[in-house]
Amino acid sequence: MRSVYMAELEELNKKMISMGMLCENSVAKAAQSLVGLDRDLAAEVVAKREEINREEREIENFCIRLLLTQQPVARDLRMISSALKMVTDMERIGDQSTDIADVVRASSLQKIPEGLNFREMAESVIHMVTKSIDAFVNQDAVVADAIISYDDVVDSYFDSIKGKLVGLLKNDKSDTTDMLDLLMIAKYFERTGDHAVNIANWVIFSVTGENRGVQGK
Amino acid sequence: MSTILDVEKLNLWYGDHHALKDINVEIPKNRITALIGPSGCGKSTFLKTLNRMNDLVAGVKIEGDVLYNGQNIYDPSVDVTWIRKQIGMVFQKANPFPMSIYDNIAYGPRTHGIRSRVRLDEIVERTLRDAAIWEEVKDRLKKPALGLSGGQQQRLCIARALAVEPDILLMDESTSALDPISTGKIEELAQQLKEKYTVVMVTHNMQQAARISDECAFFLLGELVEFSATDKMFSTPTDKRTEDYITGRFG
Amino acid sequence: MTETTASAGKLKKTAGTQATLENGVHAVFLLCGVLAIGFVLCISVYLIIAGIPAIHKIGFIKFITGTKWMPTATTTEPSFGILPFILTSIYGTAGAMAIGIPVGLLTALFLTKAAPKRLSSVIRSAVELLAGIPSVVYGLVGMIVLVPLIAKLFRISSGATLFAAILVLSIMVLPSIINVSATALDAVPQEYESASLALGATKTETYFRVSLPAAKSGVAASIVLGIGRAIGEAMAIIMVSGNVANMPGLLKSVRFMTTAIASEMSYAAVGSLQREALFSIGLILFLFIMMINAILNLMIKRKKV
């Protein structure tokens, strides 16, 4: 039994969980700051960015060292190499949340117009991020598969919001800058969903060895 | 990819101990096949059944067929010395004879009737070149082989085995007693050799198996648990026992 | 504090007694070693002192090359040529080795390589028994069985000949050759034999082309051992060789260097040239054996290197 090696694999798991939670919280807070138009909360999200980046570098170095010292094969090799790829997507999720928070802070928006279901979209995205990280923790390819399909839901929310925003812009009753801000926020949420899908794909690779290819960034 | 050795229902007992249980495998031609597994799993025993070196062990009983190019090597009418000429072996510890380098290489051909000095010279040079050691020893062919370093001696043993022109080369943990540089040279040699020969190697170094073999067979407690392409075995093994072994989860 | 000084004191005392004991034991070892050297020196010196006078009086060349040994001749000048004895010892030893080496080596090969375990241990015990049989018993059996047989076979009056001596000697050297060669063959690493077999050689080819050559220094040592035994044997051959101071012939009665000394010493007059000459034969024999031992040592040293 390679007890040092087993302990290090455990450690990697823990680090991934911890970073996963950081990202989940970022998305949740960014969504909350939008819905409540809470600019202080948005500032908190921005402040967390550095920590997420640091964790990404730490996990990358840890994985590379594991590859060097333990020469993993089979299941372990897949797990470690997919962890390397997943932290990139997790860091991007952190970035998207920061971008959302930045827009919220800088925006002059006072109220989110009726009919724009940002709350539902945000909840879906948070659900996807949470579940993708759960799938990794439990090495559950079934859950991962479900997330990949669920992305359609998020995409349709985005299309609906975009359509309504176009309508509002045409009406000329609202502030164009604010509308564009909202469009960007919606896009950031949609991109977050895509990154969650990437994470799910890497989970499937880790569990089954099937490399389905990931969506572009 | 054709098969050069077809093993069917091979069973082996050392006295009462059932050392090989119902082995069925096809060894492909011109490839490197690695045999891996924990100590005592039967991989070396299996290797030695391929050139009937197990016949020399007292109290051994062998059932089953090993077909070499379609012919069963265990058929009583087969000349075992001819089998061993066609299927050569390199051992774990280099074992050159206490003779000159030249005589070591010439031993095999002389055994099989080649006496002409010219032919022997040609064989000696050719096999020492094939074993990537000609440049190092060409000026001291008459010196004792035991004066060479460990890595050189092992390459000499490979050349000696090649001198009888086998089809298959069996390597029984041939690099486990060598330093990394000598090991590297022999690994490279094995990869060149597979163009003309077939290599079957036992190794307990899994990185080595992953590095140079094309096919891999995992043995456990006398059974052949899994046999597949090396890439596949080391990325997505089929049997849990295989995965547990190669990831080091049982000890 | 007192405890440590007390225990330190005890330590010193035990160290002291230990040192004395060590030195004492070493002294005993030294004494034994010196004694052994002393014995050899004494014998050598005595032989030289005893043997030189006769050689001096007779003349070395005449002594060594003279073909007639008649020390008690009264009608003619007594002659002291010991060439017959020297040649007989040489021929007898050579003959014994000519039979003993092939038989011994093949037996050793059989024992170590080819024989099944049980047969091998039976043969080994038999060989050990052979080694333990006293020379006089060999002589007895030779006298009772071999000598009449030879007489009948070759239709000569007496079977007590060089031939009989050679036969007896060859049986006597067999245990030495077999045991030492077998040990040397056992010591040949099995890897050499595996390598040879894996190249497609048969077992026989392997034994003769790999095992024997690899064991050659051990085999050579066994041969030298056998020679030493043969040349020094007296008791057995005195009973079968006929004891006549002839120039050697296979079916002639002969006398060896050893038997020459043994047979005449009892009645040679004290102070006579004959007695002194017998000592000289002893000296020459001793020189032969020294030479053989020197060769043996050289071979063993080479083997160690």
Side-chain angles (χ1 to χ4, degrees):
Chain A
M1 266 305 256
R2 302 159 69 182
S3 45
V4 169
Y5 177 42
M6 298 295 126
E8 289 188 318
L9 289 177
E10 254 313 297
E11 166 114 19
L12 177 61
N13 225 25
K14 288 201 182 114
K15 283 189 199 295
M16 293 291 283
I17 295 172
S18 145
M19 184 168 178
M21 301 223 59
L22 267 179
C23 298
E24 276 179 50
N25 286 342
S26 271
V27 180
K29 275 192 187 158
Q32 222 177 316
S33 76
L34 168 68
V35 165
L37 285 169
D38 183 344
R39 288 177 173 79
D40 291 329
L41 195 58
E44 278 180 44
V45 175
V46 175
K48 275 288 180 181
R49 181 204 205 122
E50 202 35 60
E51 192 176 335
I52 292 178
N53 286 353
R54 203 176 49 237
E55 286 236 1
E56 184 206 11
R57 280 196 299 278
E58 218 181 272
I59 294 178
E60 273 173 359
N61 289 335
F62 192 74
C63 286
I64 290 173
R65 193 172 62 75
L66 265 179
L67 288 173
L68 170 65
T69 57
Q70 300 290 358
Q71 288 110 45
V73 290
R75 187 201 320 150
D76 300 336
L77 178 62
R78 298 197 309 266
M79 198 267 268
I80 294 169
S81 47
S82 46
L84 256 179
K85 301 291 284 181
M86 278 190 264
V87 291
T88 311
D89 284 297
M90 285 201 238
E91 188 262 343
R92 284 297 154 84
I93 291 177
D95 277 350
Q96 311 291 11
S97 308
T98 313
D99 291 340
I100 293 171
D102 272 338
V103 173
V104 167
R105 270 207 316 179
S107 156
S108 52
L109 195 64
Q110 294 306 318
K111 186 174 87 91
I112 297 180
E114 291 294 326
L116 294 175
N117 25 12
F118 270 103
R119 183 193 298 275
E120 289 84 354
M121 184 179 189
E123 275 168 10
S124 302
V125 170
I126 293 170
H127 169 83
M128 281 182 77
V129 172
T130 310
K131 279 293 175 195
S132 71
I133 292 169
D134 277 350
F136 170 74
V137 168
N138 299 320
Q139 292 281 294
D140 189 339
V142 173
V143 170
D145 246 331
I147 296 163
I148 295 169
S149 318
Y150 191 74
D151 192 41
D152 293 339
V153 171
V154 170
D155 286 347
S156 66
Y157 277 130
F158 173 71
D159 289 335
S160 134
I161 288 174
K162 180 168 148 196
K164 297 214 176 92
L165 283 171
V166 165
L168 285 171
L169 277 168
K170 277 194 187 147
N171 277 351
D172 212 30
K173 274 200 234 159
S174 354
D175 187 340
T176 318
T177 324
D178 288 345
M179 293 306 105
L180 288 178
D181 282 345
L182 285 174
L183 181 62
M184 284 175 62
I185 290 175
K187 189 64 191 171
Y188 293 144
F189 272 121
E190 190 257 341
R191 299 294 294 123
T192 305
D194 286 344
H195 285 300
V197 165
N198 287 349
I199 292 176
N201 270 318
W202 285 117
V203 171
I204 291 178
F205 173 71
S206 175
V207 174
T208 67
E210 189 193 341
N211 191 343
R212 291 197 190 162
V214 293
Q215 310 189 15
K217 302 237 176 283
Chain B
M1 195 171 76
S2 54
T3 299
I4 192 169
L5 275 176
D6 188 1
V7 179
E8 288 175 4
K9 293 204 178 67
L10 185 68
N11 281 280
L12 186 147
W13 290 264
Y14 286 131
D16 286 332
H17 172 54
H18 195 176
L20 290 176
K21 302 175 184 159
D22 228 38
I23 310 287
N24 290 287
V25 69
E26 289 179 25
I27 307 284
K29 191 170 160 174
N30 294 126
R31 294 280 188 280
I32 300 179
T33 301
L35 310 179
I36 62 172
S39 297
C41 65
K43 53 191 195 291
S44 277
T45 306
F46 175 69
L47 192 75
K48 285 188 266 197
T49 58
L50 299 179
N51 67 346
R52 292 186 60 174
M53 285 299 276
N54 268 322
D55 290 8
L56 305 167
V57 178
V60 74
K61 186 169 98 145
I62 300 174
E63 275 173 18
D65 295 335
V66 176
L67 301 173
Y68 166 54
N69 284 335
Q71 192 189 10
N72 186 8
I73 67 175
Y74 282 96
D75 191 289
S77 65
V78 165
D79 176 12
V80 75
T81 60
W82 178 81
I83 294 289
R84 294 192 188 132
K85 179 188 175 300
Q86 300 301 115
I87 306 179
M89 183 171 253
V90 180
F91 297 81
Q92 180 170 0
K93 193 170 160 296
N95 53 3
F97 301 127
M99 304 171 189
S100 69
I101 295 174
Y102 187 96
D103 286 332
N104 261 278
I105 309 281
Y107 182 84
R110 282 184 181 135
T111 305
H112 296 288
I114 298 176
R115 301 252 175 265
S116 142
R117 185 59 197 251
V118 172
R119 271 201 75 188
L120 287 173
D121 283 352
E122 182 260 328
I123 291 175
V124 167
E125 180 171 342
R126 175 170 51 80
T127 53
L128 288 174
R129 277 189 197 281
D130 279 353
I133 194 181
W134 171 251
E135 293 300 321
E136 292 166 62
V137 300
K138 65 181 182 201
D139 296 324
R140 46 175 175 152
L141 293 176
K142 297 298 185 182
K143 294 263 173 73
L146 292 171
L148 297 172
S149 76
Q152 289 174 318
Q153 284 186 17
Q154 192 63 299
R155 278 180 285 152
L156 176 66
C157 291
I158 294 175
R160 179 179 65 184
L162 295 178
V164 296
E165 289 174 31
D167 278 338
I168 303 174
L169 199 60
L170 305 177
M171 300 177 76
D172 192 355
E173 296 199 45
S174 303
T175 58
S176 58
L178 301 176
D179 62 277
I181 294 183
S182 303
T183 300
K185 286 192 182 155
I186 291 182
E187 285 181 7
E188 225 169 291
L189 182 56
Q191 288 172 299
Q192 288 161 15
L193 288 176
K194 76 178 183 190
E195 284 175 45
K196 287 198 271 180
Y197 311 90
T198 302
V199 177
V200 183
M201 56 185 268
V202 168
T203 181
H204 59 229
N205 180 341
M206 277 184 297
Q207 280 71 41
Q208 181 178 77
R211 250 198 310 277
I212 66 175
S213 68
D214 303 302
E215 313 284 321
C216 208
F218 171 57
F219 283 81
L220 183 62
L221 298 174
E223 280 178 44
L224 174 59
V225 171
E226 188 169 338
F227 179 71
S228 56
T230 302
D231 285 345
K232 180 168 181 309
M233 181 174 278
F234 281 91
S235 57
T236 48
T238 319
D239 194 299
K240 184 171 187 308
R241 292 171 288 177
T242 313
E243 185 160 64
D244 283 348
Y245 175 68
I246 63 180
T247 56
R249 268 159 182 83
F250 63 69
Chain C
M1 269 301 123
T2 36
E3 278 180 12
T4 38
T5 32
S7 51
K10 227 201 261 177
L11 217 72
K12 247 197 231 156
K13 212 159 141 212
T14 35
T17 32
Q18 264 201 331
T20 326
L21 235 101
E22 282 289 305
N23 289 335
V25 173
H26 280 184
V28 171
F29 289 159
L30 192 61
L31 193 63
C32 294
V34 168
L35 261 169
I37 301 175
F39 283 138
V40 175
L41 267 173
C42 282
I43 295 174
S44 317
V45 167
Y46 179 76
L47 266 178
I48 293 174
I49 294 177
I52 291 284
I55 296 180
H56 187 67
K57 287 183 200 162
I58 301 166
F60 186 68
I61 304 292
K62 223 166 128 200
F63 189 54
I64 300 285
T65 59
T67 56
K68 284 203 180 56
W69 171 268
M70 288 185 295
T72 48
T74 41
T75 47
T76 49
E77 219 19 61
S79 39
F80 296 92
I82 62 167
L83 191 62
F85 306 147
I86 296 180
L87 283 181
T88 305
S89 287
I90 293 177
Y91 289 175
T93 305
M97 297 315 283
I99 300 176
I101 293 178
V103 175
L105 276 186
L106 289 176
T107 310
L109 262 178
F110 179 67
L111 263 183
T112 51
K113 307 294 174 195
K117 278 253 163 71
R118 259 185 280 162
L119 185 59
S120 162
S121 55
V122 166
I123 295 180
R124 272 221 144 105
S125 319
V127 169
E128 249 140 64
L129 201 66
L130 260 182
I133 296 177
S135 329
V136 93
V137 173
Y138 276 109
L140 214 57
V141 173
M143 204 171 70
I144 297 176
V145 175
L146 219 57
V147 169
L149 197 66
I150 291 176
K152 208 164 28 148
L153 220 63
F154 294 96
R155 276 166 237 172
I156 46 179
S157 53
S158 166
T161 53
L162 180 59
F163 188 53
I166 286 178
L167 287 179
V168 171
L169 278 177
S170 50
I171 300 178
M172 292 176 80
V173 299
L174 272 182
S176 314
I177 298 181
I178 294 176
N179 276 332
V180 177
S181 300
T183 306
L185 283 167
D186 267 339
V188 173
Q190 209 189 19
E191 295 117 52
Y192 294 157
E193 292 166 12
S194 302
S196 171
L197 292 166
L199 287 167
T202 59
K203 285 195 187 168
T204 317
E205 282 174 318
T206 304
Y207 299 152
F208 283 100
R209 293 181 58 203
V210 174
S211 315
L212 260 185
K216 65 173 179 279
S217 46
V219 166
S222 79
I223 292 173
V224 169
L225 217 63
I227 292 176
R229 176 114 201 243
I231 208 167
E233 185 51 49
M235 202 59 232
I237 54 180
I238 207 172
M239 297 161 93
V240 301
S241 59
N243 222 10
V244 175
N246 281 331
M247 285 298 279
L250 203 59
L251 291 174
K252 281 186 4 197
S253 229
V254 289
R255 197 186 285 187
F256 293 71
M257 280 196 279
T258 44
T259 54
I261 303 172
S263 49
E264 292 193 9
M265 194 50 104
S266 46
Y267 65 80
V270 177
S272 68
L273 187 55
Q274 179 191 26
R275 195 181 165 88
E276 286 176 351
L278 289 177
F279 280 118
S280 308
I281 299 179
L283 180 60
I284 303 291
L285 184 61
F286 186 64
L287 285 173
F288 262 95
I289 292 178
M290 294 280 286
M291 247 185 353
I292 291 169
N293 264 302
I295 298 174
L296 182 63
N297 278 328
L298 227 95
M299 284 180 161
I300 291 178
K301 267 206 191 102
R302 223 202 308 148
K303 187 169 147 196
K304 277 205 182 126
V305 165

